[in-house]
């Protein structure tokens, strides 16, 4: 049986793109529901103007974890911020930094236990599903892999207000090639944003480690100087002979 050429859109390609749409559109809805529960829409502006939250976000912007266009959505020059304009990348960042979510038992970067179904665990799960899809070498999934991922992601989304009928409809509705390209591109952008954040954090960590190391060296030198006997400023001249009293 001849294999499909590189330019042919296969059912496996559509499976992958359909799953990207479920994760991005469904995930955005789920994360927005969680975010709105923490910062209700009618109080969002007040919360964003709170000095503590504003300073956290400003620091994220300085570290380039917040892109300029994301900052503009939080603090628009015209109108007021609304979570309806926040994409999945921004929602993920906000949930982790300004929503007072407890740190998951396994941390923010490791898979939660199957029995852990707290809000923070599901935030981690959605990001890890994204990572798994992003690491697939080809944008294609067999029916078996597609169904496994679909069921896992669906379970998380249903816990956070995503409509079951809408999910079922997406699984069977027609999918145009341009739609496939769009959602695959969205997935890549989401991954790129996360990668940029991690790289910047690593660079900062290395810089801070170097600073701490230098400080430790300085402290050791100071302690050695304090313990050493005072050294004469110049060597005494040699005597020509012993004086006998």
């Amino acid at each position: 049986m001849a294999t499909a050429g590189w330019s042919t859109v296969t059912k496996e390609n559509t499976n992958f793109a359909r799953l990207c749409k479920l994760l991005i559109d469904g995930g955005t809805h789920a994360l927005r529901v969680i975010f709105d529960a923490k910062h209700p829409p009618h109080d969002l502006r007040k919360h964003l103007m709170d000095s503590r939250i504003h300073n956290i976000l400003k620091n994220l912007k300085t570290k380039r974890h917040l892109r300029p266009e994301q900052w503009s959505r939080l603090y628009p020059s015209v109108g007021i911020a609304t979570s309806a304009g926040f994409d999945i990348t921004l929602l993920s960042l906000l949930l982790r930094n300004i929503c007072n979510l407890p740190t998951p038992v396994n941390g923010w970067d490791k898979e939660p236990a199957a029995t852990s179904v707290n809000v923070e665990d599901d935030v981690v799960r959605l990001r890890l599903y994204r990572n798994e899809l992003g690491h697939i070498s080809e944008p294609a999934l067999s029916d078996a892999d597609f169904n496994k991922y679909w069921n896992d992601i669906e379970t998380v989304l249903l816990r956070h207000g995503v409509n079951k009928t809408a999910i079922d409809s997406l699984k069977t509705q027609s999918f145009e090639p341009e739609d496939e390209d769009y959602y695959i591109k969205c997935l890549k952008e989401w991954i790129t944003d996360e990668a940029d954040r991690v790289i910047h954090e690593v660079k900062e960590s290395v810089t801070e480690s170097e600073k701490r190391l230098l400080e430790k060296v300085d402290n050791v030198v100071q302690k050695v100087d304090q313990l050493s006997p005072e050294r004469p400023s110049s060597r005494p001249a040699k005597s020509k002979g012993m004086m006998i009293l």
Side-chain angles (χ1 to χ4, degrees):
M1 181 177 177
T3 57
W6 65 268
S7 61
T8 303
V9 177
T10 66
K11 185 175 187 297
E12 287 75 15
N13 295 138
T14 301
N15 282 347
F16 184 85
R18 199 183 299 276
L19 201 61
C20 288
K21 179 175 173 62
L22 175 69
L23 182 59
I24 292 168
D25 286 357
T28 299
H29 181 88
L31 295 185
R32 186 175 294 122
V33 167
I34 298 170
F35 179 81
D36 286 347
K38 297 292 182 178
H39 297 290
H42 62 276
D43 281 335
L44 179 57
R45 185 176 185 278
K46 181 178 71 175
H47 289 177
L48 291 175
M49 296 307 296
D50 176 83
S51 59
R52 184 186 68 85
I53 290 177
H54 186 268
N55 287 337
I56 291 172
L57 295 173
K58 189 175 181 180
N59 187 45
L60 290 172
K61 181 187 177 188
T62 300
K63 293 179 176 180
R64 292 182 295 179
H65 296 173
L66 264 177
R67 299 194 309 271
E69 61 269 26
Q70 292 174 324
W71 179 265
S72 296
R73 289 189 179 278
L74 293 167
Y75 300 101
S77 56
V78 178
I80 59 174
T82 169
S83 65
F86 299 168
D87 62 18
I88 194 166
T89 306
L90 180 54
L91 286 166
S92 298
L93 187 69
L94 297 177
L95 285 169
R96 186 166 175 171
N97 287 278
I98 67 167
C99 290
N100 295 321
L101 291 180
T103 300
V105 173
N106 291 344
W108 288 105
D109 299 310
K110 293 183 179 179
E111 183 177 0
T115 54
S116 296
V117 291
N118 298 311
V119 168
E120 59 273 17
D121 296 310
D122 283 343
V123 172
V124 172
R125 283 189 177 94
L126 290 176
R127 196 176 81 256
L128 294 181
Y129 290 141
R130 174 211 63 190
N131 290 348
E132 289 185 33
L133 291 179
H135 291 148
I136 293 175
S137 58
E138 295 291 334
L141 283 172
S142 67
D143 286 346
D145 287 338
F146 169 78
N147 287 323
K148 178 186 180 303
Y149 277 116
W150 187 278
N151 292 335
D152 289 345
I153 295 171
E154 178 185 55
T155 298
V156 174
L157 299 182
L158 290 176
R159 282 200 286 264
H160 302 288
V162 179
N163 185 274
K164 169 69 172 170
T165 302
I167 293 176
D168 291 342
S169 175
L170 172 60
K171 198 170 186 178
T172 57
Q173 68 185 222
S174 61
F175 226 65
E176 299 299 327
E178 55 267 27
D179 293 331
E180 296 184 14
D181 292 341
Y182 171 76
Y183 284 102
I184 291 173
K185 180 182 177 183
C186 286
L187 179 70
K188 290 180 179 178
E189 288 178 351
W190 188 10
I191 293 172
T192 299
D193 279 353
E194 178 78 4
D196 288 344
R197 179 187 66 78
V198 171
I199 289 171
H200 191 76
E201 286 181 352
V202 169
K203 287 182 178 179
E204 281 190 329
S205 176
V206 170
T207 301
E208 290 302 315
S209 297
E210 290 174 345
K211 287 180 180 178
R212 286 195 294 271
L213 180 59
L214 290 174
E215 288 174 357
K216 288 180 180 179
V217 171
D218 286 341
N219 289 336
V220 170
V221 171
Q222 290 175 12
K223 289 180 180 178
V224 169
D225 285 342
Q226 291 171 2
L227 293 173
S228 299
E230 185 175 347
R231 297 176 182 176
S233 57
S234 60
R235 180 177 297 179
K238 288 184 178 179
S239 58
K240 294 182 179 180
M242 182 178 294
M243 182 179 294
I244 300 176
L245 296 177

